[in-house]
Amino acid sequence: MSVAERMKNDDKIDHIAVRTGLFTLITARLEDAHEIAVKGQSTKIDEQLVSQLSSDLESNLDEIQILLNATAVILNLRPAGS
């Protein structure tokens, strides 16, 4: 039996708490992305910093995608009728 199948049958998982926690993390990553984007708007930064900010933003967006994927997984694991 796969981990996903075992989790689907586990009544101890609070699907709502997991979902809201994931969205909390997504919100935090979006706020981080906003901060990075604001820094990148400055006319007084060098190309090295622009490159670093771009890399940081890309990593941040990758994290958001992972959290969104986890959200989809938890939605598929919720018990019928909830």
Coordinates of all heavy atoms in Angstrom, one line a residue:
M1 N 0.9 -1.2 0.0 CA 0.0 0.0 0.0 C 0.9 1.2 0.0 O 1.8 1.3 0.8 CB -0.9 0.0 1.2 CG -1.8 1.1 1.3 SD -2.9 1.2 2.8 CE -4.0 -0.2 2.4
S2 N 0.6 2.2 -0.9 CA 1.4 3.4 -0.9 C 1.1 4.3 0.2 O 0.1 4.2 1.0 CB 1.1 4.2 -2.2 OG -0.2 4.8 -2.2
V3 N 2.0 5.3 0.4 CA 1.9 6.3 1.5 C 0.6 7.0 1.3 O -0.2 7.3 2.2 CB 3.1 7.2 1.5 CG1 2.8 8.4 2.5 CG2 4.3 6.5 1.9
A4 N 0.3 7.4 0.0 CA -0.9 8.2 -0.2 C -2.2 7.4 0.1 O -3.1 7.9 0.7 CB -1.0 8.6 -1.7
E5 N -2.2 6.1 -0.2 CA -3.3 5.2 0.1 C -3.5 5.1 1.6 O -4.6 5.1 2.1 CB -3.1 3.8 -0.5 CG -3.3 3.8 -2.0 CD -2.9 2.5 -2.7 OE1 -2.1 1.8 -2.0 OE2 -3.3 2.3 -3.8
R6 N -2.4 4.9 2.3 CA -2.5 4.8 3.8 C -3.0 6.1 4.4 O -3.8 6.2 5.3 CB -1.1 4.5 4.4 CG -0.8 3.0 4.3 CD 0.5 2.7 4.9 NE 1.6 3.5 4.3 CZ 2.8 3.1 4.1 NH1 3.2 1.9 4.4 NH2 3.7 3.9 3.5
M7 N -2.5 7.3 3.8 CA -2.9 8.6 4.3 C -4.4 8.8 4.1 O -5.1 9.4 4.9 CB -2.1 9.7 3.7 CG -0.7 9.8 4.2 SD 0.2 11.1 3.4 CE -0.6 12.5 3.9
K8 N -4.9 8.3 2.9 CA -6.3 8.5 2.6 C -7.2 7.8 3.6 O -8.3 8.2 3.8 CB -6.5 8.0 1.1 CG -7.9 8.4 0.5 CD -7.9 8.0 -0.9 CE -9.1 8.7 -1.6 NZ -9.1 8.6 -3.0
N9 N -6.7 6.7 4.1 CA -7.5 5.9 5.0 C -7.3 6.3 6.5 O -7.9 5.7 7.4 CB -7.2 4.4 4.9 CG -7.7 3.9 3.5 OD1 -8.7 4.4 3.0 ND2 -6.9 3.0 2.9
D10 N -6.5 7.3 6.7 CA -6.1 7.7 8.1 C -7.1 8.8 8.6 O -7.1 9.9 8.1 CB -4.7 8.2 8.1 CG -4.2 8.4 9.5 OD1 -5.0 8.4 10.5 OD2 -3.0 8.6 9.7
D11 N -7.9 8.4 9.5 CA -8.9 9.4 10.1 C -8.3 10.4 10.9 O -8.9 11.4 11.3 CB -10.0 8.6 10.9 CG -10.8 7.7 10.1 OD1 -10.9 7.9 8.8 OD2 -11.4 6.8 10.6
K12 N -7.0 10.3 11.3 CA -6.3 11.2 12.2 C -5.8 12.4 11.5 O -5.4 13.4 12.2 CB -5.2 10.5 12.9 CG -5.6 9.3 13.7 CD -4.4 8.6 14.3 CE -4.9 7.3 15.0 NZ -3.9 6.4 15.3
I13 N -5.9 12.5 10.2 CA -5.4 13.7 9.5 C -6.5 14.7 9.5 O -7.6 14.5 9.1 CB -5.0 13.3 8.0 CG1 -3.9 12.3 7.9 CG2 -4.7 14.6 7.2 CD1 -3.6 11.8 6.5
D14 N -6.1 15.9 10.0 CA -7.1 17.0 10.0 C -6.8 17.8 8.7 O -6.0 18.6 8.5 CB -6.8 17.9 11.2 CG -7.8 19.1 11.3 OD1 -8.5 19.3 10.3 OD2 -7.8 19.7 12.4
H15 N -7.6 17.4 7.7 CA -7.4 17.9 6.3 C -7.6 19.4 6.3 O -6.9 20.1 5.5 CB -8.4 17.2 5.4 CG -8.1 15.8 5.2 ND1 -8.6 14.8 6.1 CD2 -7.4 15.1 4.3 CE1 -8.1 13.6 5.7 NE2 -7.5 13.8 4.6
I16 N -8.5 19.9 7.0 CA -8.7 21.4 7.0 C -7.5 22.1 7.6 O -7.0 23.1 7.1 CB -10.0 21.8 7.8 CG1 -11.2 21.2 7.0 CG2 -10.1 23.3 8.0 CD1 -12.5 21.3 7.8
A17 N -7.0 21.6 8.7 CA -5.8 22.2 9.3 C -4.6 22.1 8.4 O -3.8 23.1 8.3 CB -5.4 21.5 10.6
V18 N -4.4 21.0 7.7 CA -3.3 20.9 6.7 C -3.5 21.9 5.6 O -2.6 22.6 5.2 CB -3.2 19.4 6.2 CG1 -2.2 19.3 5.1 CG2 -2.9 18.5 7.3
R19 N -4.7 21.9 5.1 CA -5.0 22.9 4.0 C -4.8 24.3 4.4 O -4.1 25.1 3.6 CB -6.4 22.7 3.4 CG -6.8 23.7 2.3 CD -8.2 23.6 1.9 NE -9.2 23.5 3.0 CZ -9.7 24.6 3.6 NH1 -9.3 25.8 3.3 NH2 -10.6 24.4 4.6
T20 N -5.3 24.7 5.5 CA -5.1 26.1 5.9 C -3.6 26.4 6.2 O -3.1 27.5 5.9 CB -5.9 26.5 7.1 OG1 -5.6 25.6 8.2 CG2 -7.4 26.4 6.8
G21 N -2.9 25.4 6.8 CA -1.5 25.6 7.0 C -0.7 25.7 5.7 O 0.2 26.6 5.6
L22 N -1.1 25.0 4.7 CA -0.4 25.1 3.4 C -0.7 26.5 2.8 O 0.2 27.1 2.2 CB -0.9 24.0 2.4 CG -0.4 22.6 2.7 CD1 -1.1 21.6 1.9 CD2 1.1 22.5 2.4
F23 N -1.9 27.0 2.9 CA -2.2 28.3 2.4 C -1.5 29.4 3.2 O -1.1 30.4 2.6 CB -3.7 28.5 2.3 CG -4.3 28.0 1.0 CD1 -4.9 26.8 0.9 CD2 -4.3 28.8 -0.1 CE1 -5.4 26.3 -0.3 CE2 -4.8 28.4 -1.3 CZ -5.4 27.1 -1.4
T24 N -1.3 29.2 4.4 CA -0.5 30.1 5.3 C 0.9 30.2 4.7 O 1.5 31.3 4.6 CB -0.5 29.7 6.7 OG1 -1.9 29.7 7.2 CG2 0.3 30.6 7.6
L25 N 1.5 29.0 4.4 CA 2.9 29.0 3.9 C 2.9 29.6 2.5 O 3.9 30.3 2.2 CB 3.4 27.5 3.8 CG 3.6 26.9 5.2 CD1 3.9 25.4 5.0 CD2 4.8 27.6 5.9
I26 N 1.9 29.4 1.7 CA 1.8 30.0 0.4 C 1.8 31.5 0.5 O 2.5 32.3 -0.2 CB 0.6 29.5 -0.5 CG1 0.8 28.0 -0.8 CG2 0.4 30.4 -1.7 CD1 -0.4 27.3 -1.4
T27 N 1.0 32.0 1.4 CA 0.9 33.5 1.7 C 2.2 34.0 2.1 O 2.6 35.1 1.5 CB -0.2 33.8 2.8 OG1 -1.4 33.3 2.3 CG2 -0.3 35.3 3.0
A28 N 2.9 33.3 2.9 CA 4.3 33.8 3.4 C 5.2 33.9 2.2 O 6.0 34.8 2.1 CB 4.8 32.9 4.5
R29 N 5.2 32.8 1.4 CA 6.1 32.8 0.2 C 5.7 33.9 -0.8 O 6.6 34.5 -1.4 CB 6.1 31.5 -0.5 CG 6.6 30.3 0.3 CD 8.1 30.3 0.6 NE 8.4 31.2 1.7 CZ 8.3 30.9 3.0 NH1 7.7 29.8 3.4 NH2 8.7 31.7 4.0
L30 N 4.4 34.2 -1.0 CA 4.0 35.3 -1.8 C 4.5 36.7 -1.3 O 4.9 37.5 -2.0 CB 2.5 35.3 -2.0 CG 2.0 34.2 -2.9 CD1 0.4 34.1 -2.8 CD2 2.4 34.4 -4.3
E31 N 4.4 36.8 0.0 CA 4.9 38.0 0.7 C 6.4 38.2 0.5 O 6.9 39.2 0.2 CB 4.6 38.1 2.1 CG 3.1 38.3 2.4 CD 2.6 38.1 3.8 OE1 3.4 37.6 4.6 OE2 1.5 38.4 4.1
D32 N 7.2 37.0 0.6 CA 8.6 37.1 0.3 C 8.9 37.4 -1.1 O 9.8 38.2 -1.4 CB 9.2 35.7 0.6 CG 9.2 35.3 2.1 OD1 9.0 36.2 2.9 OD2 9.4 34.1 2.4
A33 N 8.1 36.9 -2.1 CA 8.3 37.2 -3.5 C 8.0 38.7 -3.7 O 8.7 39.3 -4.5 CB 7.3 36.3 -4.3
H34 N 7.0 39.2 -3.1 CA 6.7 40.6 -3.2 C 7.9 41.5 -2.8 O 8.3 42.4 -3.5 CB 5.5 41.0 -2.4 CG 5.2 42.5 -2.4 ND1 5.5 43.3 -1.4 CD2 4.6 43.2 -3.3 CE1 5.2 44.5 -1.6 NE2 4.6 44.5 -2.8
E35 N 8.5 41.1 -1.6 CA 9.7 41.8 -1.1 C 10.8 41.8 -2.1 O 11.5 42.8 -2.4 CB 10.1 41.3 0.2 CG 11.2 42.0 0.9 CD 11.5 41.5 2.3 OE1 10.6 41.0 3.0 OE2 12.7 41.5 2.6
I36 N 11.1 40.6 -2.7 CA 12.2 40.4 -3.7 C 11.9 41.3 -4.9 O 12.8 42.0 -5.4 CB 12.3 38.9 -4.1 CG1 12.8 38.1 -2.9 CG2 13.2 38.8 -5.2 CD1 12.6 36.6 -3.1
A37 N 10.6 41.3 -5.4 CA 10.3 42.0 -6.5 C 10.4 43.5 -6.3 O 10.9 44.3 -7.2 CB 8.8 41.7 -7.0
V38 N 10.1 44.0 -5.1 CA 10.2 45.4 -4.8 C 11.7 45.8 -4.8 O 12.1 46.8 -5.4 CB 9.6 45.8 -3.4 CG1 10.0 47.1 -3.0 CG2 8.1 45.6 -3.5
K39 N 12.6 45.0 -4.2 CA 14.0 45.2 -4.3 C 14.5 45.3 -5.7 O 15.4 46.1 -6.0 CB 14.8 44.2 -3.5 CG 14.6 44.2 -2.0 CD 15.4 43.1 -1.3 CE 15.2 43.1 0.2 NZ 15.9 42.0 0.8
G40 N 14.0 44.5 -6.6 CA 14.4 44.4 -8.0 C 14.0 45.7 -8.7 O 14.6 45.9 -9.8
Q41 N 13.1 46.4 -8.2 CA 12.6 47.6 -8.9 C 13.6 48.8 -8.8 O 13.5 49.8 -9.5 CB 11.2 48.0 -8.4 CG 10.2 47.0 -8.8 CD 8.8 47.4 -8.2 OE1 8.5 48.5 -8.0 NE2 8.0 46.4 -7.9
S42 N 14.5 48.7 -7.8 CA 15.4 49.8 -7.5 C 16.3 50.1 -8.7 O 16.8 49.2 -9.4 CB 16.3 49.5 -6.3 OG 17.3 50.5 -6.1
T43 N 16.5 51.4 -9.0 CA 17.4 51.8 -10.1 C 18.9 51.8 -9.6 O 19.8 52.0 -10.4 CB 17.0 53.1 -10.6 OG1 17.1 54.1 -9.6 CG2 15.6 53.1 -11.2
K44 N 19.1 51.6 -8.3 CA 20.4 51.7 -7.8 C 21.1 50.3 -7.4 O 21.9 50.3 -6.5 CB 20.4 52.6 -6.5 CG 19.9 54.0 -6.9 CD 19.8 54.9 -5.7 CE 19.3 56.2 -6.1 NZ 18.7 57.0 -5.1
I45 N 20.7 49.3 -8.1 CA 21.3 48.0 -7.8 C 22.1 47.5 -9.0 O 21.8 47.8 -10.1 CB 20.3 46.9 -7.4 CG1 19.2 46.7 -8.4 CG2 19.6 47.3 -6.1 CD1 18.2 45.6 -8.1
D46 N 23.2 46.8 -8.7 CA 24.0 46.3 -9.8 C 23.5 45.0 -10.4 O 22.6 44.4 -9.8 CB 25.5 46.1 -9.3 CG 25.6 45.1 -8.1 OD1 24.8 44.2 -8.0 OD2 26.6 45.3 -7.4
E47 N 24.1 44.6 -11.5 CA 23.6 43.4 -12.2 C 23.8 42.1 -11.4 O 23.0 41.2 -11.5 CB 24.4 43.3 -13.5 CG 24.0 44.3 -14.5 CD 24.7 44.1 -15.9 OE1 25.1 43.0 -16.2 OE2 24.8 45.1 -16.6
Q48 N 24.8 42.1 -10.5 CA 25.0 40.9 -9.7 C 23.8 40.7 -8.7 O 23.3 39.6 -8.5 CB 26.3 41.0 -8.9 CG 26.6 39.7 -8.1 CD 27.9 39.8 -7.4 OE1 28.6 40.8 -7.5 NE2 28.2 38.7 -6.6
L49 N 23.4 41.8 -8.1 CA 22.2 41.8 -7.2 C 20.9 41.4 -8.0 O 20.1 40.7 -7.5 CB 22.1 43.1 -6.4 CG 21.0 43.1 -5.4 CD1 21.1 41.9 -4.4 CD2 20.9 44.4 -4.6
V50 N 20.8 42.0 -9.2 CA 19.6 41.7 -10.0 C 19.6 40.2 -10.3 O 18.5 39.5 -10.2 CB 19.6 42.5 -11.3 CG1 18.5 42.0 -12.3 CG2 19.4 44.0 -11.0
S51 N 20.7 39.6 -10.6 CA 20.8 38.2 -10.9 C 20.5 37.4 -9.6 O 19.7 36.4 -9.7 CB 22.2 37.8 -11.3 OG 22.4 36.5 -11.5
Q52 N 21.0 37.8 -8.5 CA 20.6 37.1 -7.2 C 19.2 37.2 -6.9 O 18.5 36.2 -6.5 CB 21.5 37.7 -6.1 CG 21.2 36.9 -4.8 CD 21.6 35.5 -4.8 OE1 22.7 35.1 -5.2 NE2 20.7 34.6 -4.4
L53 N 18.6 38.4 -7.1 CA 17.2 38.6 -6.8 C 16.3 37.7 -7.7 O 15.3 37.1 -7.3 CB 16.8 40.0 -7.0 CG 17.3 41.0 -5.9 CD1 17.0 42.4 -6.2 CD2 16.7 40.6 -4.5
S54 N 16.7 37.6 -9.0 CA 16.0 36.8 -10.0 C 16.1 35.3 -9.5 O 15.0 34.6 -9.6 CB 16.6 36.9 -11.4 OG 16.4 38.2 -11.8
S55 N 17.2 34.9 -9.1 CA 17.4 33.5 -8.7 C 16.6 33.3 -7.4 O 15.9 32.2 -7.3 CB 18.9 33.2 -8.4 OG 19.0 31.9 -7.9
D56 N 16.6 34.2 -6.5 CA 15.8 34.1 -5.2 C 14.3 34.0 -5.6 O 13.6 33.2 -5.0 CB 16.0 35.3 -4.3 CG 17.4 35.3 -3.7 OD1 18.2 34.2 -3.8 OD2 17.8 36.3 -3.1
L57 N 13.9 34.8 -6.5 CA 12.5 34.8 -6.9 C 12.1 33.5 -7.5 O 11.0 33.0 -7.2 CB 12.2 36.0 -7.8 CG 10.7 36.3 -8.1 CD1 9.9 36.5 -6.9 CD2 10.6 37.5 -9.0
E58 N 12.9 33.0 -8.4 CA 12.6 31.7 -9.0 C 12.5 30.6 -8.0 O 11.6 29.8 -8.0 CB 13.7 31.4 -10.0 CG 13.4 30.1 -10.8 CD 14.4 29.9 -11.9 OE1 15.5 30.5 -11.9 OE2 14.1 29.1 -12.8
S59 N 13.4 30.6 -7.0 CA 13.4 29.6 -6.0 C 12.1 29.7 -5.1 O 11.5 28.7 -4.8 CB 14.6 29.7 -5.0 OG 15.8 29.4 -5.7
N60 N 11.7 30.9 -4.9 CA 10.5 31.2 -4.1 C 9.3 30.7 -4.9 O 8.4 30.1 -4.3 CB 10.4 32.7 -3.9 CG 9.5 33.1 -2.7 OD1 8.3 33.0 -2.9 ND2 10.0 33.5 -1.6
L61 N 9.3 31.0 -6.1 CA 8.1 30.5 -6.9 C 8.1 29.0 -7.0 O 7.0 28.4 -7.1 CB 8.2 31.2 -8.3 CG 8.0 32.7 -8.3 CD1 8.2 33.3 -9.7 CD2 6.6 33.1 -7.8
D62 N 9.3 28.3 -7.1 CA 9.3 26.9 -7.0 C 8.7 26.4 -5.7 O 8.0 25.4 -5.8 CB 10.8 26.4 -7.2 CG 11.3 26.5 -8.6 OD1 10.6 26.7 -9.5 OD2 12.6 26.5 -8.7
E63 N 9.0 27.0 -4.6 CA 8.4 26.6 -3.3 C 6.9 26.8 -3.4 O 6.2 25.9 -2.8 CB 9.0 27.4 -2.2 CG 10.5 27.1 -1.9 CD 11.0 28.0 -0.8 OE1 10.3 28.2 0.2 OE2 12.2 28.4 -0.8
I64 N 6.4 27.8 -3.9 CA 5.0 28.1 -4.0 C 4.4 26.9 -4.9 O 3.3 26.4 -4.5 CB 4.7 29.4 -4.6 CG1 5.1 30.5 -3.6 CG2 3.2 29.6 -5.0 CD1 5.1 31.9 -4.2
Q65 N 5.0 26.5 -5.9 CA 4.4 25.5 -6.8 C 4.4 24.2 -6.0 O 3.4 23.4 -6.1 CB 5.3 25.3 -8.0 CG 4.7 24.3 -9.0 CD 3.3 24.7 -9.5 OE1 3.1 25.7 -10.0 NE2 2.3 23.8 -9.2
I66 N 5.4 23.9 -5.2 CA 5.4 22.7 -4.4 C 4.3 22.7 -3.4 O 3.5 21.7 -3.2 CB 6.8 22.5 -3.7 CG1 7.8 22.2 -4.7 CG2 6.7 21.5 -2.6 CD1 9.3 22.3 -4.2
L67 N 4.1 23.9 -2.7 CA 3.0 24.0 -1.8 C 1.6 23.9 -2.5 O 0.7 23.2 -1.9 CB 3.1 25.3 -1.1 CG 4.3 25.5 -0.1 CD1 4.5 26.9 0.3 CD2 4.1 24.6 1.1
L68 N 1.5 24.4 -3.7 CA 0.2 24.2 -4.4 C 0.0 22.8 -4.8 O -1.2 22.3 -4.7 CB 0.2 25.1 -5.7 CG 0.1 26.6 -5.5 CD1 0.4 27.3 -6.8 CD2 -1.2 26.9 -4.9
N69 N 1.0 22.0 -5.1 CA 0.9 20.6 -5.4 C 0.5 19.9 -4.1 O -0.4 19.0 -4.2 CB 2.2 20.0 -6.0 CG 2.5 20.6 -7.3 OD1 1.7 21.1 -8.0 ND2 3.8 20.4 -7.7
A70 N 1.1 20.2 -3.0 CA 0.7 19.6 -1.7 C -0.8 19.9 -1.4 O -1.5 19.0 -0.9 CB 1.6 20.1 -0.6
T71 N -1.2 21.1 -1.7 CA -2.7 21.4 -1.5 C -3.6 20.5 -2.4 O -4.6 20.0 -1.9 CB -2.9 22.9 -1.9 OG1 -2.0 23.7 -1.1 CG2 -4.3 23.3 -1.6
A72 N -3.2 20.3 -3.6 CA -4.0 19.4 -4.5 C -4.0 18.0 -3.9 O -5.0 17.3 -3.9 CB -3.4 19.4 -5.9
V73 N -2.9 17.5 -3.4 CA -2.8 16.2 -2.8 C -3.7 16.1 -1.6 O -4.5 15.1 -1.5 CB -1.3 15.8 -2.4 CG1 -1.3 14.5 -1.6 CG2 -0.5 15.6 -3.7
I74 N -3.6 17.0 -0.7 CA -4.5 16.9 0.5 C -6.0 17.0 0.1 O -6.8 16.4 0.8 CB -4.1 18.0 1.6 CG1 -4.6 17.6 3.0 CG2 -4.6 19.4 1.2 CD1 -3.9 16.4 3.5
L75 N -6.3 17.8 -0.9 CA -7.7 17.8 -1.3 C -8.2 16.4 -1.8 O -9.3 16.0 -1.6 CB -7.9 18.9 -2.4 CG -7.9 20.3 -1.9 CD1 -7.9 21.3 -3.1 CD2 -9.0 20.6 -1.0
N76 N -7.3 15.7 -2.5 CA -7.6 14.4 -3.0 C -7.7 13.3 -1.9 O -8.3 12.3 -2.1 CB -6.6 13.9 -4.1 CG -6.8 14.7 -5.3 OD1 -7.9 15.1 -5.7 ND2 -5.7 14.9 -6.0
L77 N -7.1 13.6 -0.7 CA -7.1 12.7 0.4 C -8.2 12.9 1.4 O -8.4 12.0 2.2 CB -5.7 12.8 1.2 CG -4.5 12.4 0.4 CD1 -3.3 12.7 1.3 CD2 -4.5 11.0 0.0
R78 N -8.9 14.0 1.2 CA -10.0 14.3 2.2 C -11.1 13.2 2.1 O -11.4 12.7 1.0 CB -10.5 15.7 2.1 CG -11.4 15.9 0.9 CD -11.9 17.3 0.8 NE -12.8 17.5 -0.3 CZ -12.5 17.7 -1.6 NH1 -11.2 17.8 -1.9 NH2 -13.4 17.8 -2.5
P79 N -11.7 12.9 3.3 CA -12.7 11.9 3.3 C -13.9 12.4 2.5 O -14.2 13.6 2.4 CB -13.1 11.8 4.7 CG -12.0 12.4 5.5 CD -11.3 13.4 4.6
A80 N -14.7 11.5 1.9 CA -15.9 11.9 1.2 C -16.8 12.6 2.0 O -17.0 12.3 3.2 CB -16.6 10.6 0.6
G81 N -17.4 13.7 1.5 CA -18.4 14.5 2.2 C -17.8 15.6 3.1 O -18.6 16.2 3.8
S82 N -16.5 15.7 3.0 CA -16.0 16.8 3.9 C -15.4 17.9 3.0 O -15.4 17.9 1.9 CB -14.8 16.3 4.8 OG -13.7 15.8 4.0

